[in-house]
Amino acid sequence: MAPLRTEAVAVAAAALFAASTCDAFAFAPRSAASSVVASRANGRCVVRLMAESDDKTPFFATAAAATEDPPAVASTKSKSSSTQTVQSDVAIDAADALNSVGWSSPLTDTEFTSDDPFVKRIDDSIRNDMGVGLDELLNPAKVVNLERDIYNLKSELAYLTGMGTDLDVTELTAEECDGGGGGEEAEGIRTSLAKKEKSLVVERRAVFRGWLKNVFLGQAVLSLALSWVMVSDPGSLFGGFGWYNLYNMDVSIRVLGFWWWWLFIVPSLRSRRPRGFEKKALDIAFLGTPLISILSPALTKDTELIWVANLAVVVGSYAFAYLTNGEDGDDGDDEENRPEWLKFLYKSLDFGSGRERGARK
């Protein structure tokens, strides 16, 4: 009887162990060479209780992979799909937010220049509609990016709605590229396309008027006068404020005065979008003035002298650009002939340089 009791205890222990790890299980008699499968509630695995007729084969439980998704897994997949849809909507809204400030990233690796047929077509269209060129808009780079995005979206919409992959959507409207249907993906493209087309209409009408150029010029003149007072006699401007004497701001404001050339004066002149030799002169001044402001304090502490040195750099830049204008086919606007190290400096110091024609990504 002792061996029978020992075997009964072993069987009971195995049954208790299976019950503690499974919500349901089935037991097969020892005489049956079969197996019964019971699923765990979490759906990750199933437990197979096995009993063989061979006395040497122990009674044990093994894990096996589930062959089909239980309801819990199906529910998880449904939630995951819903989450992906929400994330897609958020991504579209984020892209539109970036576009609103002119930071639309290109959908292709192609760099557009003013000679690109795509840009020329945009320029001709704007001249016909507004009477000005692409360069005369407030945000020409944003217009180029929007036109490119709309072109790609119309192509994708035409493909999803069965209009074909070889359809030229350049001169077609969004409605003419839409064959209907396409599911949720096509509906999302329609929504994004409508937003971008509304934004494009606004940007095409935002012209860089002559009076705005005069505003930037006036800003440069005022900055010039203000910066000289800051480096020569800052107390005349700020002496009446308690913080000026309390924190001994005299030296700090004098230093800020000669840095005003790089921070405000030259950028204000460049904001007028000059062309020819003036553009080249201001590009040189934009690189030269910070070097003077950094290196000069090692030679002199006279802030007025450093201010004059910055003035000399700007005037010298204009003289050099004027005298070398047109040499070797250089009209001041050709950025392709610049060495790579110089292009790197412009991109590092001034991220907006060259974006006025959509020349850079």
Side-chain angles (χ1 to χ4, degrees), residues 74-84:
S75 176
T76 302
K77 288 185 175 181
S78 177
K79 292 180 180 179
S80 176
S81 176
S82 176
T83 302
Q84 292 177 354

Side-chain angles (χ1 to χ4, degrees), residues 253-264:
I253 293 177
R254 287 177 182 271
V255 172
L256 182 60
F258 64 74
W259 271 101
W260 218 255
W261 280 98
W262 186 67
L263 293 173
F264 292 101

Side-chain angles (χ1 to χ4, degrees), residues 218-230:
Q219 178 179 300
V221 174
L222 290 176
S223 298
L224 180 70
L226 178 62
S227 65
W228 173 250
V229 177
M230 290 171 66

